[in-house]
Amino acid sequence: MSVNKPFPHDAAKLHVSGRARYIDDLPVSDDCLHLCFGTSTIARGSIQELKLTPVRNSSGVIDVLQASDLIHANDVSPSIHDEPLLSDGTIHYLGQPIFLVIAKSHIQARKAASRAKISYQQDSPILSIEDAITANSRFEEGPRIWNRGDLKRGYEQATKIVEGSIEIGGQEHFYLEGQAALALPQEDDEMVVHSSTQHPTEVQHKVAEALGVQFNDVRVEVRRMGGGFGGKESQGNALAVACAIAAHRTNKPCKMRYDRDDDMLITGKRHDFRITYRAGVDQHNKIIALEVVHYARCGWAQDLSLPVADRAMLHADNAYFLPNVRIESHRLKTNTQSATAFRGFGGPQGVLGMERIMDHLAHDLNTDPIAFRELNYYRPAVAAEHDTTHYHMSVQDFNLQEMTSKLLADCDFENRKQAIERWNADNHTMKRGIAFSPVKFGISFTLSHLNQAGALVHVYSDGSIRINHGGTEMGQGLFQKTAQVAAEEFGVSINAIKITATDTAKVPNTSATAASSGSDLNGMAIKVACEKIKSRMAALLAAQYNKSPDDVAFTKNEVHIGRRVLSFGDAAKACYEQRVSLSATGFYKTPDLEWDRIRGVGNPFYYFAYGAAVSEVVIDTLTGEYRILRADILHDAGNSLNPSIDIGQVEGGYVQGAGWLTTEELIWDDQGRLRTHAPSTYKIPAMSDRPRKFNVNLWDRGNLKPTIYRSKAVGEPPFMLGISAWLALSDAISNCGPAYPNLDAPATPERVLKAVGRVRHGL
Amino acid sequence: MKFSFLLNGEPQVIEDLEPTTSVLDLLRVNKRLTGTKEGCNEGDCGACTVILIDDNGARAVNACILFLPQIANKALRTIEGISSHDAPHPAQQCMIDHHGSQCGFCTPGFVTSMVAAQINNDTDHDVTLAGNLCRCTGYAPIFRAALACEGTKAPKWFHDDQSDLRTLAQSVDAKLPTTSDELANILAEEPETTLIAGATDVGLWINKDMRDIAPIAFIHHIKDMEHITEHPDHWEFGANVTIEKMRVWSVDAQPSLTPLLTRYASTQVRNSATLGGNIANGSPIGDSPPALIAMGAKLVLRKKDTKRTIDLHDFFIDYGQQDLQSGEFVQLIHVPKNQINLRCYKISKRFDQDISAVCGAFNLNITDGVIQSARIAFGGMAGIPKRAKHVEACLTGKKWDMNSIKASHDQWSQDFKPLTDLRASADYRLSVARNLLTRYFYDLSDNPTTIQEVSA
C-alpha cells in the first residue's frame, strides 16, 4: 500500500540541500534581461506627466515600456478585464504599475525604476470600509442578500438578542518566494513561460492575449512555488505577461521577480471585513434569529472578490443551524491593493464572524461556551430539519459532536479550565484563557465548472512511471500524494514514480490549484489514467496467459496473472512489444454540484471537512502581550492519503490562522500607502510563536463521499482552527472584569490591552 | 578592492566587484550557487543564511545584508558546502525525517542556522532559529528536527576551514582599517566617510533605498575595538563588539540584560550588528541604548588623537542628531558593573525579532525600602532614547511601594509625548510605559510577571 503512508515530501531531499529549483534559480543564458515595474506614489488620480528619460538613461537599461507601447491586451485580470498591466493614465492605488523597465540586471532595473519623474492630478482616495460605504463605491449593483426562514418570527420568539460588530484585518500571504516569472522566446512566435503561479492555464491565457497569439502558442511550466496560499492564484499574471511582452520585443530571455517591498506594495492580500450582527436565542439557548452584514474591502479591481465574498456568506453559519437568517454582503471598491485569494477564500472571515457571535452570546447568556456551541450544532442524526444550511444544502456528514467530545476528553479540558481559574485568582498581572472552536468547511469551487481536472500518465517499457496533472506544487505535498495514488494503482513502490512539472502542453484547460481541491481532483484524474493503462495491460496479459482480466493483479512491484508472476517492468515490456499503449490521460469532474449564487440556493459543495481545536493562552494585563501556550487539534482529513503531509497542513494552517488574528497587522496611512510592506514591519509568526505544546491528531474515518481513497481536502480548513487562539485571548481578557471584550482582529498587544481596559471598566 | 576568502572550502579571489555588492548576489549571480535564497533582502527572514567562519568560530549571518569586504579572509559555507550528495548532514536528514520542509524555500536557511548552532553547541532552538521565517509548517516539525539532531559534532569541514584560513593569502585593502588609529586617519582625511561595521542598518540603505554610498570604510577588521575588558567599577566594550558577543557576556556579568539582548533582532543579525553601530546610528528604537543609559554608561569618542568621554544619555540630542563631530567616531563604551536592580522590558507586536514599540529600562537604587536614586530610560517614546527625568525625580526619596508608583502617574506625560505609528499608538505607548513601572515593582519583589515563563 502506498496511500495512507507518511512518506516525506517528494522534494524534501532537494529542499534540504538547496538543490530544489525555483524560478530565480533556473539556469539562464547570460543575455537574460531583468524587469522591474515603476509604480505610482499616489492612491487615486491620473498621470499628468510621465518623464521616463532619467529611467532610460539609467545604467544598464535596454528599454522602458508604458501602456501605449502595448500592442495587444493590456490586462492581467483573472475576472472582468479591469486590471491593466500598466496604468492607462488612471491611478487606482498606491503601488500600481505604471511603466516597465527592461535592464541587464535585477538591481539595474530596480534602480532605474525609481528614477521616473511623474506628476499627478490627485483625487481624494477611497481607502477604508467607511470611505467606501459613504461613497457607495462597490462591485456589483448592490449587496448580495440571502434569506432563509422567517426572521421576524425568529426575533419575536427570542428571549435574548445580542448586537455587535467586529473589524477583521486583512493578511499578507508572505510566501517566502516572492512573485517571479521567466519567459523564453521560441521560434515562430511561440513563448515558454516559467511562472510561480497556482494557475498556469490562466497565465497561458493572459500571455496569449498580451501577445495576440493563440493559447497553443504559449506553454507555461510550473515545477514548484516557494509558497502560494492563494497569493499566486492571480497575482503572478502581471509578471508573466510582462516577461512575455519583453521577451517578445527583445527576443531574449526575460526574468522578473519582485523585491519583497514591491511584492507587498503591488499585490493583493486577504480581504479585510467588517461584520455586524444581531442574534436572537430562544429560551433553550438555541439561535432562533440571525442577521449578519458583511462589508468586504475588495481593493481597486474585482479580481476574485465576488467568489471570496460569496464563500464568506457560505461560511457565515460555520457549524451551527440557523433556522431564520439573513445575510447581506457588500463588496466594496477602494483605492488599495486588489484583495485576492488567501487560504480559506473568505471562509475564515465568515467563520470568524460566526464564532464571534457565539462567543458574544455565550458571554451575555452567561453559559458555557462549548455546551452552547454543541447545542447549536447541525444535528442530522436527531432531526432532519436541523441539517439544512442557510443555502438550503443538506449537511449529511456532520461529525463535530463526536469530534468535539473526543478532543475535549483527549486534552483534559475540564481539569485544565479549573486549574486556569485557580491560577488566575492567584496572579497579579497575568491572566490565562482557554477556548474551543470548531470548523466546518465546504469543499468544491463555488464556480462549479472549475471542479474538473486532467492527468497524463506514462509507463515506460522498463516499468518506470512518469505522472503529470494540472495541479501545481506549492509545498502542500500534492505531487507526493498523487504519486502515492499512482504507486497504489500500479502496485509499485513510490520510487518507481517520477513527478513532472505542471505544464499546459501536457494537461490543458486546468483550474487553479486552489479551494483545497488539488488532491481531490488531480488524485482522481491520475487514478483514472492509471486504471486505463492497467486495464489495457490486464487485457493483454490475460489473453497471453489464457486468463480473465479479473485474474490480473498489480501488487508489490509485480503483476500476477493467475499464478504467473511478472515483475512490473517485464509486464510493461511485454505490453510494449505487443503494441499496447502505455500512456493515458485521465479526467475527473466532481459530481452532484448545483449552485445559484444570486439566490444563494443549491449544493455548492461536494462535502464538508471538519476540525476542532482548543487553545490556551496567557496575557499580560499591563502590556497586552500574550503567548499561545498550548493547542490541541483534532482534524478530519478522511482516510488521509499521507498523514504526515496532512498533519503538516494542520500545524501550518493553525499557526498561519493564529498569525492572521494576532500579530499580522496591515496598516495603511491616510494617503493610502501601505506602511507595513516588509517583514521588519509586518510580523508573521516566528519559531517561538508556535504553541509550546502542540498536539495534532487526525480524525481518521473515511469520507462518506467516494473521493480519492475516501480522503478529504485539507489545505484550507485547518487555517480556521487558529480562531481558537483568538477566542482564548478573548477568554483571558474576560477574566479581568464583567464586560464583553469586543476584541477586534488582529488582536495585537495594543488591542488586547485596550480590551482589558474596556472589560475592567465595564465599557 | 581585492581580497581572498574560502567558499565551501575553495580559495577564491574577489576583484572588480563593487564593495557594496551583497554576498547573496555574489553567490547567486556570480557563483551560480542558488541554494541560498532571497526572501526579503533586508535581513528579516533568514532564507539567505550562510555560515561565516574565522578564528572566533562559526556564526550564522544573513548574506543579503553582508557586503563583500565583510568576508575578506574568512571562510564561507553555504547550503551547497555543508554536505555531499550521498552523505547529508544530520540536520538535513532530520529535516527530511521530521517533515520540516513544505515549500522548501526557507529550508536551506533553516538548515544552515541549525548547523551553525550545532557547531556552537547551542540548543536553544527558539533563539537560534528566531531569525528564520517559515510560512508553511507552523515551525513544529522544524523544531522537532532541531531537537532530533542535537549533539551532532562540528563537521570536519569546520576545522578544515579554520586551518586553511591560516594559509590563505591575507590581503587587506586600504579601506579595511585594522586599527582604530587607521580609522582615525581615514576619518581625518575624509570626515564624510560612512562607517560600516555589521551592515545590518546600512545594508538596508543600499538594498532598499538603493543609495550610492561613498566614501565607505568597513571597520569590522579593527581588532582593538573588539574587546570586553573588566575594570574595577566598569566594563569596557570596544565599539565593534557584536550584540551576540555582548549577549553571551551578559549571561554571567549582567544577567538582567540577557533577555533583552536575546530579543535583539535575530541570531544572524546579532552576529553582525555591533554595539557601536547600534549607538552611533542614533535610532530612537535601538534596543541597547535605553538599557545602557539606565546603567549610566559612558561613551569614549575619538577624533584623530583626541578622545572625549560623555554620558551616553547626552550623546542623543534630537531625532537624527547625535553629539558626534565631523570626523569623530564611537570607539569605546564604558558600562558600570553590577547593576543588580536593572530590569529591561521590550514590548513589540511579535515577541522575537521585532522592533520595539516601547523598550523600557529601570534601574532604581533602593535602601531600606526607600528609593535613593533612579535611572529610567526608554526607547520608542521620543525621537531619541530618553530618560524619564520627571518620573525619576518624583520617585527619588519616596518609599518603594504602589502608592509612589501611582503618584508618578502624571509625570510620564511630562517626560514623553510619543508618536502614533505602525508599531503602536501614542496612547498605548504611554500606558505601557507607565504600567512597566508596576511590572518592575512586582519583578523586584519576586512576583511572577513574565508570560514567557508560564507553561500550560
Side-chain angles (χ1 to χ4, degrees):
Chain A
M1 289 289 282
S2 287
V3 293
N4 314 124
K5 291 269 175 62
F7 290 115
H9 194 283
D10 60 279
K13 280 184 182 164
L14 304 179
H15 293 156
V16 301
S17 59
R19 287 182 288 135
R21 283 179 181 169
Y22 304 81
I23 302 288
D24 197 35
D25 304 335
L26 297 172
V28 286
S29 52
D30 286 338
D31 63 351
C32 181
L33 300 174
H34 301 261
L35 315 185
C36 184
F37 286 128
T39 56
S40 78
T41 54
I42 66 159
R44 187 181 180 203
S46 53
I47 298 168
Q48 273 189 330
E49 195 182 6
L50 177 57
K51 282 190 195 160
L52 294 176
T53 311
V55 183
R56 290 184 192 283
N57 290 343
S58 188
S59 166
V61 170
I62 302 291
D63 203 352
V64 186
L65 307 184
Q66 45 188 311
S68 56
D69 297 316
L70 305 179
I71 299 163
H72 301 285
N74 178 18
D75 177 62
V76 292
S77 159
S79 51
I80 56 160
H81 307 289
D82 61 345
E83 202 169 327
L85 171 73
L86 300 174
S87 168
D88 57 9
T90 309
I91 299 298
H92 298 278
Y93 77 105
L94 199 157
Q96 183 179 349
I98 294 174
F99 62 91
L100 176 68
V101 180
I102 308 171
K104 286 182 182 167
S105 77
H106 176 69
I107 184 70
Q108 284 173 327
R110 284 182 61 219
K111 278 190 175 173
S114 68
R115 291 186 179 156
K117 299 272 180 277
I118 309 175
S119 58
Y120 302 95
Q121 170 73 46
Q122 287 201 50
D123 295 327
S124 157
I126 296 167
L127 299 174
S128 64
I129 286 172
E130 208 62 58
D131 291 350
I133 294 171
T134 306
N136 194 32
S137 173
R138 63 173 68 242
F139 296 98
E140 298 190 301
E141 67 294 344
R144 289 261 77 77
I145 300 170
W146 299 346
N147 284 295
R148 193 269 290 275
D150 185 340
L151 200 60
K152 187 162 171 287
R153 226 182 106 219
Y155 282 120
E156 284 165 8
Q157 289 173 2
T159 53
K160 173 101 184 167
I161 292 176
V162 165
E163 294 183 45
S165 81
I166 175 172
E167 304 287 330
I168 304 170
Q171 186 177 28
E172 161 63 35
H173 302 85
F174 211 85
Y175 27 67
L176 260 287
E177 179 212 24
Q179 305 279 349
L182 167 67
L184 306 168
Q186 309 294 307
E187 62 181 27
D188 201 17
D189 284 343
E190 289 184 26
M191 191 64 68
V192 170
V193 178
H194 296 269
S195 170
S196 185
T197 179
Q198 294 170 237
H199 201 345
T201 288
E202 186 167 271
V203 167
Q204 177 197 24
H205 294 180
K206 301 315 288 189
V207 165
E209 289 164 13
L211 298 180
V213 298
Q214 301 190 106
F215 293 166
N216 67 358
D217 288 314
V218 180
R219 185 169 80 74
V220 178
E221 188 177 317
V222 183
R223 175 57 187 87
R224 64 171 60 79
M225 284 161 271
F229 316 112
K232 292 174 180 171
E233 185 165 342
S234 62
Q235 303 298 298
N237 294 358
L239 301 89
V241 168
C243 287
I245 289 171
H248 182 74
R249 280 177 75 102
T250 60
N251 203 29
K252 285 182 177 160
C254 286
K255 181 154 75 173
M256 185 173 203
R257 63 181 172 91
Y258 288 158
D259 185 74
R260 178 62 62 179
D261 292 65
D262 285 349
D263 199 311
M264 292 181 73
L265 280 168
I266 295 171
T267 66
K269 297 150 208 332
R270 185 184 294 284
H271 293 66
D272 25 12
F273 268 58
R274 171 185 298 167
I275 296 179
T276 64
Y277 52 89
R278 183 164 183 259
V281 291
D282 66 13
Q283 73 270 31
H284 306 297
N285 278 358
K286 289 216 172 183
I287 298 168
I288 191 78
L290 179 63
E291 264 184 299
V292 178
V293 185
H294 288 176
Y295 300 93
R297 194 170 69 139
C298 302
W300 70 283
Q302 186 168 300
D303 188 76
L304 305 168
S305 290
L306 302 191
V308 166
D310 286 356
R311 188 169 275 268
M313 294 174 84
L314 286 163
H315 288 79
D317 59 338
N318 192 17
Y320 312 106
F321 174 64
L322 306 172
N324 306 298
V325 57
R326 180 180 191 276
I327 303 168
E328 180 176 312
S329 168
H330 299 259
R331 295 85 196 267
L332 302 171
K333 186 175 185 175
T334 52
N335 296 114
T336 49
Q337 291 80 358
S338 181
T340 190
F342 195 146
R343 200 177 198 170
F345 205 71
Q349 293 94 324
V351 171
L352 181 64
M354 190 61 206
E355 286 305 318
R356 160 56 166 267
I357 292 163
M358 299 306 282
D359 192 49
H360 196 168
L361 283 169
H363 180 273
D364 283 16
L365 292 165
N366 197 23
T367 188
D368 178 76
I370 300 179
F372 178 61
R373 282 176 168 81
E374 290 177 301
L375 184 69
N376 281 285
Y377 274 162
Y378 286 103
R379 306 186 148 239
V382 177
E385 68 270 21
H386 279 192
D387 77 347
T388 315
T389 65
H390 53 293
Y391 44 92
H392 304 266
M393 177 174 167
S394 168
V395 182
Q396 293 170 349
D397 52 10
F398 198 80
N399 56 19
L400 276 169
Q401 284 97 347
E402 284 176 274
M403 286 179 68
T404 303
S405 304
K406 177 158 170 48
L407 175 68
L408 295 179
D410 288 354
C411 78
D412 195 23
F413 185 88
E414 279 310 316
N415 287 328
R416 284 169 59 202
K417 193 170 168 73
Q418 286 168 24
I420 288 167
E421 280 168 19
R422 289 192 298 274
W423 191 90
N424 283 343
D426 289 344
N427 227 283
H428 292 286
T429 60
M430 299 184 284
K431 297 287 176 200
R432 281 155 79 171
I434 189 166
F436 162 84
S437 72
V439 61
K440 160 182 138 287
F441 195 78
I443 302 301
S444 292
F445 287 99
T446 58
L447 187 54
S448 298
H449 81 253
L450 297 178
N451 296 289
Q452 58 171 310
L456 178 63
V457 174
H458 301 323
V459 175
Y460 293 93
S461 57
D462 64 351
S464 65
I465 297 163
R466 263 181 110 89
I467 65 170
N468 194 276
H469 52 69
T472 55
E473 176 65 38
M474 60 195 98
Q476 81 279 42
L478 171 63
F479 280 20
Q480 181 64 20
K481 283 184 172 181
T482 54
Q484 287 177 239
V485 168
E488 181 78 18
E489 288 301 313
F490 286 115
V492 297
S493 65
I494 192 76
N495 303 330
I497 314 289
K498 199 86 183 175
I499 314 159
T500 56
T502 316
D503 186 334
T504 56
K506 289 184 181 166
V507 175
N509 308 323
T510 57
S511 297
T513 308
S516 305
S517 68
S519 51
D520 277 13
L521 298 176
N522 296 289
M524 211 53 130
I526 287 284
K527 184 164 185 280
V528 168
C530 294
E531 281 168 348
K532 282 187 193 170
I533 297 171
K534 270 167 64 181
S535 71
R536 291 178 204 149
M537 292 176 76
L540 182 276
L541 296 167
Q544 275 196 337
Y545 295 101
N546 219 1
K547 293 277 178 187
S548 152
D550 293 344
D551 297 328
V552 179
F554 294 78
T555 180
K556 294 180 180 163
N557 296 311
E558 291 167 346
V559 183
H560 295 237
I561 310 109
R563 278 183 298 176
R564 288 295 301 255
V565 177
L566 294 177
S567 73
F568 185 78
D570 286 345
K573 187 159 180 277
C575 289
Y576 163 72
E577 286 169 352
Q578 293 301 315
R579 296 188 289 177
V580 170
S581 166
L582 292 174
S583 174
T585 60
F587 183 80
Y588 175 75
K589 57 181 179 179
T590 313
D592 304 335
L593 301 175
E594 191 188 347
W595 172 235
D596 180 341
R597 66 172 285 271
I598 303 300
R599 288 168 59 226
V601 174
N603 289 338
F605 304 124
Y606 188 37
Y607 64 91
F608 295 97
Y610 299 91
V614 168
S615 292
E616 183 179 340
V617 302
V618 60
I619 64 168
D620 182 331
T621 62
L622 294 173
T623 61
E625 296 165 285
Y626 46 79
R627 306 300 283 164
I628 301 175
L629 301 173
R630 174 172 169 176
D632 295 81
I633 293 173
L634 186 57
H635 194 82
D636 166 25
N639 282 343
S640 170
L641 287 175
N642 180 322
S644 291
I645 285 175
D646 286 352
I647 285 174
Q649 288 298 299
V650 177
E651 289 171 334
Y654 173 89
V655 169
Q656 201 177 67
W660 168 48
L661 299 174
T662 55
T663 59
E664 296 188 35
E665 189 178 31
L666 290 163
I667 294 174
W668 285 264
D669 66 18
D670 57 7
Q671 299 299 303
R673 177 182 300 277
L674 178 67
R675 305 304 310 208
T676 48
H677 51 74
S680 51
T681 46
Y682 183 78
K683 310 314 282 189
I684 70 165
M687 173 64 81
S688 73
D689 294 309
R690 79 191 187 288
R692 294 307 165 92
K693 292 184 182 165
F694 202 0
N695 304 311
V696 175
N697 287 294
L698 298 178
W699 176 256
D700 212 1
R701 298 197 192 170
N703 195 340
L704 290 183
K705 290 288 171 70
T707 49
I708 182 75
Y709 296 102
R710 300 210 179 251
S711 62
K712 283 193 178 184
V714 74
E716 292 164 296
F719 178 88
M720 280 147 278
L721 299 173
I723 292 171
S724 62
W726 179 84
L727 289 166
L729 289 172
S730 183
D731 182 56
I733 298 163
S734 287
N735 291 322
C736 297
Y740 182 64
N742 260 323
L743 192 60
D744 286 332
T748 56
E750 175 158 359
R751 286 207 178 85
V752 169
L753 186 67
K754 281 204 177 119
V756 167
R758 279 197 297 273
V759 164
R760 280 211 176 122
H761 303 109
L763 299 173
Chain B
M1 183 186 67
K2 179 178 176 182
F3 68 85
S4 35
F5 75 108
L6 290 176
L7 176 57
N8 295 330
E10 297 294 322
Q12 308 275 326
V13 176
I14 294 290
E15 49 191 331
D16 303 329
L17 282 172
E18 287 291 317
T20 51
T21 303
S22 74
V23 170
L24 181 61
D25 281 348
L26 173 78
L27 293 172
R28 292 187 55 84
V29 180
N30 300 72
K31 301 294 177 188
R32 304 254 164 131
L33 290 173
T34 54
T36 308
K37 306 301 182 193
E38 179 181 317
C40 70
N41 200 23
E42 63 168 23
D44 276 307
C45 79
C48 65
T49 304
V50 294
I51 304 169
L52 203 55
I53 296 164
D54 59 18
D55 282 349
N56 296 323
R59 55 205 166 102
V61 291
N62 289 315
C64 70
I65 47 171
L66 187 71
F67 295 108
L68 294 184
Q70 296 177 270
I71 60 170
N73 308 325
K74 295 183 192 290
L76 189 69
R77 284 278 163 175
T78 69
I79 188 72
E80 292 90 350
I82 62 161
S83 65
S84 59
H85 276 214
D86 44 355
H89 186 280
Q92 292 173 311
Q93 192 59 50
C94 287
M95 282 288 273
I96 295 171
D97 295 345
H98 291 268
H99 307 274
S101 71
Q102 286 183 24
C103 87
F105 198 83
C106 70
T107 313
F110 270 99
V111 169
T112 42
S113 281
M114 284 182 192
V115 172
Q118 284 169 350
I119 292 172
N120 294 320
N121 277 319
D122 192 338
T123 55
D124 193 347
H125 309 303
D126 278 337
V127 173
T128 60
L129 298 177
N132 292 85
L133 297 181
C134 167
R135 193 54 154 165
C136 296
T137 64
Y139 301 98
I142 299 174
F143 192 84
R144 290 192 281 267
L147 281 179
C149 59
E150 280 180 7
T152 301
K153 278 192 202 148
K156 182 173 176 294
W157 51 253
F158 168 66
H159 305 292
D160 292 346
D161 279 359
Q162 281 200 316
S163 65
D164 291 350
L165 274 178
R166 281 166 212 135
T167 57
L168 186 74
Q170 299 280 314
S171 56
V172 175
D173 190 279
K175 287 289 183 195
L176 284 184
T178 56
T179 64
S180 53
D181 291 345
E182 286 174 37
L183 176 59
N185 289 334
I186 288 171
L187 283 171
E189 282 171 30
E190 290 188 297
E192 299 311 310
T193 301
T194 299
L195 306 189
I196 299 183
T200 55
D201 191 20
V202 179
L204 273 66
W205 306 357
I206 292 167
N207 290 359
K208 295 296 177 177
D209 301 343
M210 293 178 284
R211 283 194 229 167
D212 293 318
I213 299 172
I216 293 176
F218 285 88
I219 63 170
H220 57 279
H221 273 243
I222 299 178
K223 294 285 174 200
D224 63 347
M225 284 172 30
E226 276 182 2
H227 59 283
I228 305 176
T229 321
E230 187 168 8
H231 292 268
D233 62 343
H234 71 273
W235 294 91
E236 180 176 287
F237 289 77
N240 268 356
V241 170
T242 64
I243 302 294
E244 181 61 16
K245 185 171 174 179
M246 185 180 184
R247 186 180 85 92
V248 171
W249 158 87
S250 73
V251 172
D252 291 322
Q254 184 65 51
S256 59
L257 272 179
T258 312
L260 176 70
L261 293 175
T262 302
R263 288 176 61 191
Y264 184 110
S266 62
T267 300
Q268 291 93 319
V269 169
R270 287 194 299 274
N271 278 333
S272 292
T274 64
L275 180 57
N278 194 228
I279 292 168
N281 78 356
S283 167
I285 43 178
D287 279 338
S288 68
L292 295 176
I293 290 170
M295 296 169 82
K298 293 183 189 306
L299 288 187
V300 178
L301 304 174
R302 175 170 176 188
K303 181 176 181 177
K304 238 183 151 187
D305 294 326
T306 311
K307 290 184 187 176
R308 63 184 175 114
T309 302
I310 63 168
D311 268 0
L312 173 60
H313 179 257
D314 297 331
F315 180 70
F316 302 103
I317 299 167
D318 204 346
Y319 180 71
Q321 192 190 350
Q322 288 82 252
D323 181 8
L324 193 66
Q325 296 163 16
S326 175
E328 196 173 40
F329 64 98
V330 176
Q331 184 173 358
L332 303 168
I333 300 97
H334 289 162
V335 181
K337 289 167 78 170
N338 302 327
Q339 306 290 303
I340 52 166
N341 279 353
L342 177 78
R343 296 290 186 279
C344 307
Y345 307 121
K346 171 170 177 163
I347 311 300
S348 51
K349 246 180 240 179
R350 185 172 71 196
F351 182 75
D352 277 316
Q353 209 215 9
D354 198 356
I355 292 166
S356 294
V358 175
C359 182
F362 296 81
N363 196 10
L364 300 194
N365 183 358
I366 302 159
T367 310
D368 300 330
V370 176
I371 302 161
Q372 306 297 321
S373 64
R375 290 184 74 95
I376 299 173
F378 272 81
M381 295 293 289
I384 51 171
K386 191 171 168 236
R387 279 175 76 172
K389 290 203 172 175
H390 288 86
V391 177
E392 291 174 358
C394 177
L395 291 173
T396 304
K398 302 265 173 57
K399 278 179 69 178
W400 179 225
D401 59 18
M402 285 306 289
N403 287 332
S404 302
I405 289 171
K406 281 184 188 137
S408 72
H409 184 277
D410 292 342
Q411 303 305 312
W412 289 92
S413 52
Q414 299 291 313
D415 281 319
F416 298 118
K417 302 204 168 18
L419 291 175
T420 291
D421 67 11
L422 61 96
R423 296 197 174 84
S425 70
D427 280 355
Y428 176 75
R429 287 187 155 111
L430 204 55
S431 308
V432 164
R434 240 179 227 132
N435 289 350
L436 287 178
L437 183 58
T438 305
R439 181 194 281 184
Y440 182 59
F441 177 81
Y442 286 122
D443 196 345
L444 286 194
S445 49
D446 285 334
N447 279 299
T449 57
T450 313
I451 53 173
Q452 280 67 51
E453 287 166 12
V454 180
S455 61

